Amino acid sequence: MAATTACATSGKEGQQPRLRADALRNRERIIAAARETMVEFGAEVPLDEIARRAGVGNATLYRHFADRLELIHYVTLSVMSRTADRAESALAEESDAFQALRRFVHAAVEERIGALCPLLSDGVDRDHPELLAARDRLESAVEAVMGAARDSGQLRTDIAVGDLMVAITQLTRPLPSSSCMDFDRFVHRHLQLFLDGLQTPARSELPGAAATLEDLRCRS
């Protein structure tokens, strides 16, 4: 994703060994708990809290993930994979191309991409092969959804994937003020306004050029 695809992965190489079913469940619970707690409390949330939220012991967490950077790496991969799944499912299951785009965008905000991207440390390896493969799959899935909507004549032609991801990222980025605790309840409402603006016929000419994901890459 724009923000997420551009900004994360650890430097861990190689594939994980095949795990028993119970170990795999523990690993998935840890990744899910890490995602939730990092959105709530930031990247420096204690690993003890992540283990507690996952319902496992500290030793189990460290058996799966050597350190915080490795855990962030796999949280990022999980978010990218889940988001790509949502794009592919929307395109396969919706008969109307623009409805598939609507479904994907509303589903994608549930991954809280905007909340996760600022959490990712400068110490991660943005060019890790796992990240690059996940990023390519995600980009292809989102481009396919947008391409179908464009080919159907419903999506304006001056919009690119980066424009879509900027909107999703910004609408899921936490506000700095703690007084806006219920901000999330407005996200889907504002997404609907944004999606209405993507439809043809366009009511105005957009300034500048369409944003690609390459335009949004974080640079080291």
Side-chain angles (χ1 to χ4, degrees):
M1 273 221 117
T4 306
T5 58
C7 304
T9 189
S10 77
K12 309 302 178 184
E13 299 292 343
Q15 297 297 316
Q16 290 293 308
R18 186 178 298 276
L19 300 173
R20 300 192 318 269
D22 57 339
L24 181 60
R25 284 193 295 271
N26 283 340
R27 182 182 180 83
E28 291 172 345
R29 281 200 294 266
I30 293 167
I31 292 172
R35 174 184 171 278
E36 292 171 3
T37 54
M38 288 178 181
V39 166
E40 290 178 37
F41 305 114
E44 297 306 314
V45 60
L47 296 184
D48 291 356
E49 172 60 22
I50 294 174
R52 186 196 67 76
R53 185 77 65 93
V56 301
N58 292 354
T60 299
L61 186 150
Y62 283 109
R63 190 156 55 243
H64 287 283
F65 306 101
D67 53 31
R68 185 180 302 275
L69 284 179
E70 185 174 11
L71 181 54
I72 289 173
H73 169 71
Y74 285 103
V75 168
T76 304
L77 289 176
S78 174
V79 169
M80 293 171 69
S81 177
R82 285 161 54 98
T83 306
D85 287 345
R86 290 173 182 260
E88 292 166 354
S89 295
L91 186 58
E93 296 169 9
E94 297 291 340
S95 58
D96 180 272
F98 201 88
Q99 180 56 33
L101 179 61
R102 287 188 187 275
R103 171 175 157 178
F104 162 68
V105 170
H106 282 285
V109 301
E110 303 299 335
E111 299 303 328
R112 302 296 302 275
I113 296 164
L116 286 169
C117 187
L119 308 179
L120 303 173
S121 165
D122 289 337
V124 300
D125 174 12
R126 300 183 183 110
D127 295 319
H128 187 286
E130 287 181 331
L131 175 64
L132 295 178
R135 188 179 72 193
D136 287 347
R137 180 194 168 209
L138 177 58
E139 290 181 12
S140 295
V142 178
E143 286 172 350
V145 173
M146 294 186 71
R150 189 179 296 110
D151 291 344
S152 73
Q154 299 178 80
L155 176 66
R156 54 191 298 168
T157 59
D158 55 351
I159 293 294
V161 176
D163 296 302
L164 184 68
M165 302 320 298
V166 165
I168 293 174
T169 298
Q170 293 303 314
L171 283 171
T172 55
R173 188 181 296 272
L175 294 182
S177 172
S178 60
S179 63
C180 296
M181 296 296 289
D182 60 349
F183 173 73
D184 286 354
R185 70 189 176 98
F186 298 109
V187 169
H188 290 284
R189 177 181 176 86
H190 291 181
L191 272 180
Q192 194 69 21
L193 288 171
F194 169 73
L195 285 162
D196 286 350
L198 295 186
Q199 289 187 281
T200 55
R203 297 194 175 187
S204 65
E205 182 176 345
L206 295 177
T212 67
L213 290 184
E214 184 60 31
D215 293 331
L216 305 180
R217 301 264 190 262
C218 290
R219 305 299 182 186
S220 54

